[in-house]
Amino acid sequence: SGQESYASFNGPSLAPASSMTYELDIYINSFIEDMGHGAYIVSTGNHAPSDVWINLYADSVNSAGVNVLQAHMRTGDALDLSIPSLSPVPLNTWVHATMIWNNDTYTFSYYLDGVFQGSVSNEAYNANYVDEIRVGNTSDDSGIENYADGFVKNFAIWSKALNQSEINAYQNIILTGKEDNLVHYWKFNEGSGNVIIDYAGGNDGFFNGDWLLISDNYTISDSTTLNEISFESLNNYEEYS
């Protein structure tokens, strides 16, 4: 047991046509090669064509055939903005991902460990935000259930486009939850129960599926790393007891 677990939250509390930043720490155990859409780490779906969402997924099924972290944004005109990491992402190492929508310049940007990976522009953006965010798999109603394999912690959503100095400052600290423009902040460090506390905006989430609590961590595989949620691929049943 322990398969098919993920975390679920209500959609972000953002004003219409606002800038936003998603940032989180990620530790990837493996890339799953037989999932055409990649294994979703962050997904915002259950959507209509006019909705706006940001995804992050581990992708080994790309044209280059390498393990990348792909940042993806769907704008309100159903246009996909996609940015791959510039180089393969190592396994079993914490990395910090930052995805930014700047509504002043209509630009979607992506950083890993504070290093700029790329940007894409689109002027047709609108502000119908999705009603669910998931960590660990997709919330797409198409029936795709691409579970990722790894850990995540310190997931923050800001109602502004962070600049380079802010990205560098925030990626190495635990936030208080009271920072200006911080809308949501989930540490994943509760230690018991199935509620995930939002330390900034009161948008508490929930663990779903067959999750286990091991060594005071939310996890669905053995772990000794503190303060994170673990999510596993459906292809790794042998890792479960």
Side-chain angles (χ1 to χ4, degrees):
S1 62
Q3 310 93 319
E4 305 184 29
S5 297
Y6 62 93
S8 177
F9 312 90
N10 290 330
S13 299
L14 294 167
S18 64
S19 298
M20 56 184 165
T21 299
Y22 282 39
E23 61 169 350
L24 68 164
D25 297 313
I26 305 158
Y27 184 104
I28 299 175
N29 289 329
S30 66
F31 283 81
I32 310 305
E33 297 183 358
D34 60 352
M35 293 181 173
H37 294 264
Y40 283 83
I41 298 168
V42 173
S43 173
T44 46
N46 290 333
H47 51 266
S50 61
D51 285 342
V52 173
W53 70 87
I54 290 177
N55 292 336
L56 181 69
Y57 55 91
D59 183 15
S60 62
V61 198
N62 51 77
S63 59
V66 296
N67 296 337
V68 299
L69 276 176
Q70 189 95 3
H72 169 259
M73 181 175 180
R74 172 67 66 89
T75 61
D77 59 352
L79 179 67
D80 290 299
L81 309 179
S82 189
I83 308 171
S85 55
L86 290 175
S87 59
V89 175
L91 299 179
N92 307 315
T93 301
W94 285 104
V95 295
H96 186 84
T98 306
M99 298 169 287
I100 301 169
W101 171 255
N102 188 320
N103 199 66
D104 295 327
T105 61
Y106 298 105
T107 303
F108 179 53
S109 304
Y110 176 36
Y111 296 76
L112 280 180
D113 289 331
V115 178
F116 180 67
Q117 305 296 298
S119 63
V120 185
S121 296
N122 175 52
E123 294 186 1
Y125 166 82
N126 69 23
N128 297 319
Y129 300 114
V130 293
D131 59 7
E132 183 185 15
I133 301 172
R134 288 190 184 182
V135 171
N137 87 333
T138 178
S139 51
D140 192 332
D141 274 340
S142 65
I144 299 171
E145 292 287 346
N146 292 0
Y147 289 83
D149 180 9
F151 303 94
V152 65
K153 62 182 179 180
N154 300 324
F155 180 18
I157 298 179
W158 304 78
S159 61
K160 64 173 293 185
L162 296 184
N163 59 38
Q164 182 71 65
S165 62
E166 290 170 327
I167 293 169
N168 293 340
Y170 292 140
Q171 69 178 344
N172 295 316
I173 64 173
I174 302 297
L175 303 174
T176 66
K178 299 183 183 301
E179 289 79 1
D180 290 342
N181 302 113
L182 181 61
V183 178
H184 305 296
Y185 182 47
W186 302 282
K187 297 179 183 180
F188 296 101
N189 67 344
E190 282 69 26
S192 63
N194 71 333
V195 176
I196 310 164
I197 297 171
D198 178 1
Y199 288 87
N203 182 17
D204 295 348
F206 299 91
F207 292 103
N208 297 270
D210 187 15
W211 58 273
L212 300 175
L213 180 62
I214 300 175
S215 300
D216 296 326
N217 299 287
Y218 285 109
T219 180
I220 50 177
S221 68
D222 291 338
S223 170
T224 57
T225 307
L226 295 175
N227 300 339
E228 81 278 341
I229 179 177
S230 170
F231 43 84
E232 285 285 344
S233 164
L234 289 171
N235 297 321
N236 290 338
Y237 289 156
E238 71 277 6
E239 294 186 14
Y240 301 94
S241 58

